[in-house]
Amino acid sequence: MSEQPLPVVDYMKIPDDGDPYLEGHKCGECDAIFLGERNICSKCGTRDRMGTIKLSTQGSLYSYAIVHRSFPGVEVPYISAVVDLDDGATLKGNLIKVDPDPEKINFGMPVEVIFADALGRKDRDGNSYLSYFFQPRA
Amino acid sequence: MTDAYVVGVDMIKFGRFPEKTVPQIGSEAIMMALDDCGMTIHDIQALYSGNLGQASGMVGQRILHEIGQTGIPVINVSNACATGATAFREAWASIKAGLYDCVLAVGVEQMGRGLLGGAGGGTGISKEGLLGSGTMPAVFAEAGMEHSNKYGTTFEQFAKVSVKNHHHSTMNSKAMYQIETPLETVMNAEMISYPNTKLMCSVNVDGSAAAVICSEKKTRELGLMGRAIKVRASILASDPWQERDLVMPDVNSCTRKAAKEAYEMAGLGAEDIDLIELHDCFATAEILHYDNLGLCEDGGAGRLIDDGDVALGGRIPVNVSGGLLSKGHPLGATGIANIYEVSTHLRGEAGARQVEGARIGLTHVIGLGSACGIHILEKA
Ligand SMILES: [Zn+2]
């Protein structure tokens, strides 16, 4: 079992000395940004010109769903959010610290990416995970 | 290149048939489609068989084990919710290419109940409810709310789609349900993923549909031109790159690409279409496709549902079968079931729900991942 929490997705990096961040792969030819490692750009087809970037933690709400029915064991309701980051990437995740009420959710609202424990979920070996969430920008 | 004609087509009444096998359910629609044109399995030169649940289970061959092992080639097809349309298109292509002059396409599915989708496992822990939701109602809620963000489309407008399609299905004895659902009933039903309530989600059902497709020469030889349906366009598209498609499965650009190509192939425009069966897997999805199929200018979809343009009797009736929302959505069968529906109207045989004077119709399905199939059909 790992002493430190593990990253919830492979595009989350947890440096030994420093804050966790999300990593994008950006095409050197067309600037398309991808989540997860790759060598070929699926937008323009260019090979071997992918570079890694640290994704922005600032963005705005593009779309959402308020999930009232999910799989057994998943606490509802919650907001499933699609967020456009300021650097052009798009992420999906839970929007927290906002009431799950359409009256309280505004398109374009400024949000930030924060890192926190994965709601207490552990894998079969008992490992903890670090996840990311969106919350309204102060 | 020869034209291709649907000469026999039918679907079973959708429902739940846990006591039957997938090949048995598929065989039923095939026998009905063969009866529709007075043929037997011995007249068929190839079988294109669409199914998702048993994609590696040789469903097409097992169907022939039920109804006649004639030794013809069988092509088993799996392409998400575009599976049936893909099987039909492959059958069509074989006629166009001159490989055969009489082939059969079937789509069949036996569904479980409950939620489809969900963020997959992969490493370690479940991501569902942690990194948003991968359930289908949520994915299509997000697609609908994108439309709200751009054009101000409301929960009530999305709900009206479900009112309309449920109303249509009261005139279709082959639909799973024949019940009216007034607006307040739809909006007050259990919320699954806002803005989709339970009555705004398609019904998981078992079902099958089949079509016999012939070359022009064969259709004439058999004297079947009278009720034949000409395939004016058959298009399949995958999802072209979009900036958000890593987190939002693409249903829009894929449909737009297929629609543009289909109108070009048919030499027609959206204004020439008399009725449409489109992929209303959720009420939110139907609204998007009014824009995507060019039934209105971008953003005009909300007004189309408000004004009744897309209801039976309106300018361009959509999903007069009841759609996936009420007729039901047996994934692999849906693409051929909507070809059956449009063909029935073009033949003037749709009874109470007949779109008067229908001459040209369009069918649309989209499978996430993504695959979009569009067919344009015309009375021969
Ligand atoms: Zn590129």
Side-chain angles (χ1 to χ4, degrees), chain B residues 140-370:
Chain B
F140 280 92
E142 288 164 3
M145 292 308 277
E146 177 183 41
H147 201 270
S148 296
N149 183 1
K150 285 183 177 165
Y151 306 115
T153 318
T154 64
F155 173 34
E156 182 174 322
Q157 287 172 324
F158 291 130
K160 283 178 178 174
V161 169
S162 199
V163 176
K164 169 181 71 76
N165 291 357
H166 279 97
H167 170 66
H168 287 161
S169 72
T170 62
M171 295 171 274
N172 182 1
S173 61
K174 290 192 175 184
M176 173 74 183
Y177 295 122
Q178 289 85 21
I179 45 164
E180 296 284 358
T181 57
L183 184 60
E184 54 274 25
T185 306
V186 172
M187 293 179 76
N188 292 325
E190 181 192 351
M191 185 57 73
I192 305 297
S193 265
Y194 180 88
N196 283 320
T197 69
K198 186 166 189 180
L199 286 172
M200 296 161 71
C201 301
S202 55
V203 196
N204 292 345
V205 298
D206 306 335
S208 61
V212 179
I213 306 167
C214 286
S215 64
E216 180 167 7
K217 182 163 171 280
K218 187 76 175 177
T219 304
R220 285 193 197 291
E221 275 173 17
L222 295 170
L224 292 172
M225 203 51 94
R227 287 174 74 247
I229 302 297
K230 185 175 181 174
V231 182
R232 287 283 298 264
S234 172
I235 295 291
L236 191 62
S238 63
D239 46 333
W241 187 89
Q242 296 291 302
E243 58 181 341
R244 296 185 184 86
D245 62 10
L246 294 171
V247 297
M248 296 185 83
D250 179 34
V251 296
N252 295 316
S253 60
C254 195
T255 294
R256 284 171 188 249
K257 181 175 189 292
K260 180 169 180 288
E261 292 174 5
Y263 291 138
E264 274 171 18
M265 182 181 278
L268 297 168
E271 66 282 1
D272 299 312
I273 307 294
D274 298 315
L275 80 154
I276 292 180
E277 288 285 306
L278 63 73
H279 206 72
D280 59 327
C281 50
F282 295 88
T284 47
E286 178 163 321
I287 291 277
L288 308 181
H289 297 313
Y290 298 161
D291 287 0
N292 292 334
L293 294 174
L295 309 191
C296 53
E297 76 288 3
D298 280 350
R303 206 168 54 245
L304 232 51
I305 189 77
D306 283 340
D307 293 350
D309 286 7
V310 283
L312 182 60
R315 177 171 66 82
I316 172 68
V318 171
N319 289 333
V320 289
S321 68
L324 283 49
L325 290 171
S326 188
K327 179 176 65 178
H329 184 22
L331 310 181
T334 288
I336 298 180
N338 62 20
I339 285 168
Y340 162 76
E341 179 68 18
V342 166
S343 300
T344 302
H345 287 270
L346 300 181
R347 288 167 159 183
E349 298 172 359
R353 67 182 191 284
Q354 176 70 41
V355 174
E356 287 307 323
R359 230 174 42 78
I360 297 174
L362 181 149
T363 65
H364 160 266
V365 287
I366 184 140
L368 284 197
S370 297

Side-chain angles (χ1 to χ4, degrees), chain A residues 27 29-32 41 43-46:
Chain A
C27 174
E29 187 66 29
C30 75
D31 291 340
C41 175
K43 182 183 183 188
C44 73
T46 299

